[in-house]
Amino acid sequence: MSINIRTRGQVRGGVAEIKSLIRHPMESGARMDQSTGRPFPMKLITNVDVSVNGSKVVDAQWSANISTNPYMHVNVAANSGDEVTINLVDNTGETGSETFKLR
Amino acid sequence: MKRRSFLKATLATGAASVAVSAGLLTPSTVLASWNKGAFEAKSVNDALNGIFGASNAATSADVKLTAPAIAENGAVTPVTVDASGMSGVESIAIIASSNPTPLVCEYKFQGAAQGFVSTRIRMGETQTVMGVVKAGGKLFKAEQEVRVTIGGCGG
């Protein structure tokens, strides 16, 4: 199963506002499950990158300090119609990828 | 004949187990680009040193940090770091100074990307949030105290 990403990209004055909402627990591995007394296993998105027309523009690393169901907004100088790809991977090796055109 | 097929079978299993262990290695290869040392650092200085190789950030008015003065829910605190007014922004890190591991995230920018990040972070208690920007090889920062009424790190 791949990680679900919802995206929106709008160009305003030559700058694309690339927003994404990702469905992911961002489990730190330190939080205790009260019913079993054991920690919930770590499940954390570690790396995210954003490309425009095939060239990488943003390369991010995340920690457990990022909220559950992460939201990310970055700005890139681009034109409407440009193709944006967001790739991400978590510590279990599960990946997510979403490609869309800027409005 | 039996000996031959036995050999064949063992060789095949051997090759298969090599393939499996190679497959098992993939997640850690992916993780290799994750700066474990910096993300597991317990102090702000160690985190900054781990990610930037330096911790002497100068306060700058060109780094704009937007965060609520009072966060009702520490589990989802919106934080924006805007350094698009600066030139040559290489990367931005967000630090929650009193969280168990202060480094929240690090963004590297290339090409057409602007020095801007907006995200939602977890905060365990009332503390100072820092936006640290690396531009032209130097570190700049902006910080703000955020009061947290309900912590966001525990269960």
Side-chain angles (χ1 to χ4, degrees):
Chain A
M1 226 178 70
S2 65
I3 301 166
N4 177 293
I5 313 173
R6 278 171 56 203
T7 55
R8 201 160 75 151
Q10 194 161 26
V11 180
R12 278 201 198 119
V15 175
E17 297 176 352
I18 299 169
K19 297 176 182 175
S20 54
L21 197 55
I22 298 146
R23 190 179 301 157
H24 198 278
M26 293 304 280
E27 197 61 70
S28 68
R31 202 165 64 94
M32 280 295 170
D33 183 345
Q34 300 295 346
S35 61
T36 62
R38 287 209 194 87
F40 290 101
M42 185 176 175
K43 187 162 175 63
L44 200 61
I45 294 174
T46 52
N47 295 78
V48 183
D49 63 58
V50 181
S51 304
V52 176
N53 291 338
S55 61
K56 194 189 274 189
V57 288
V58 177
D59 188 355
Q61 301 178 43
W62 287 2
S63 74
N65 294 333
I66 297 279
S67 301
T68 304
N69 296 334
Y71 165 80
M72 172 178 83
H73 171 187
V74 292
N75 288 342
V76 179
N79 302 310
S80 77
D82 284 355
E83 200 171 71
V84 176
T85 304
I86 297 176
N87 283 310
L88 44 87
V89 63
D90 75 8
N91 67 313
T92 65
E94 194 176 341
T95 58
S97 182
E98 185 74 26
T99 301
F100 63 101
K101 282 200 160 55
L102 290 172
R103 283 195 291 131
Chain B
M1 199 56 192
K2 261 192 177 168
R3 184 169 151 266
R4 192 162 290 179
S5 56
F6 169 71
L7 267 175
K8 248 188 202 166
T10 32
L11 279 177
T13 4
S17 68
V18 167
V20 165
S21 58
L24 280 175
L25 277 173
T26 8
S28 59
T29 354
V30 168
L31 268 178
S33 58
W34 195 60
N35 194 331
K36 200 171 187 317
F39 280 107
E40 287 179 354
K42 302 267 187 281
S43 77
V44 175
N45 277 355
D46 288 351
L48 285 176
N49 274 320
I51 210 93
F52 295 117
S55 60
N56 51 340
T59 305
S60 165
D62 288 329
V63 182
K64 292 182 184 71
L65 177 75
T66 314
I70 297 172
E72 284 135 31
N73 184 355
V76 276
T77 319
V79 174
T80 301
V81 180
D82 187 353
S84 29
M86 291 177 113
S87 60
V89 176
E90 294 158 44
S91 56
I92 293 182
I94 298 176
I95 304 253
S97 56
S98 304
N99 274 6
T101 54
L103 185 60
V104 176
C105 57
E106 196 238 350
Y107 284 75
K108 284 197 182 72
F109 303 104
Q110 297 162 35
Q114 298 202 329
F116 175 96
V117 169
S118 182
T119 189
R120 298 191 302 211
I121 73 172
R122 287 189 178 127
M123 294 176 56
E125 59 189 56
T126 297
Q127 58 184 281
T128 306
V129 174
M130 288 166 63
V132 183
V133 177
K134 187 178 186 185
K138 289 199 178 108
L139 294 184
F140 302 94
K141 70 174 177 184
E143 51 189 33
Q144 188 193 318
E145 184 172 278
V146 177
R147 280 187 55 202
V148 176
T149 39
I150 305 168
C153 283

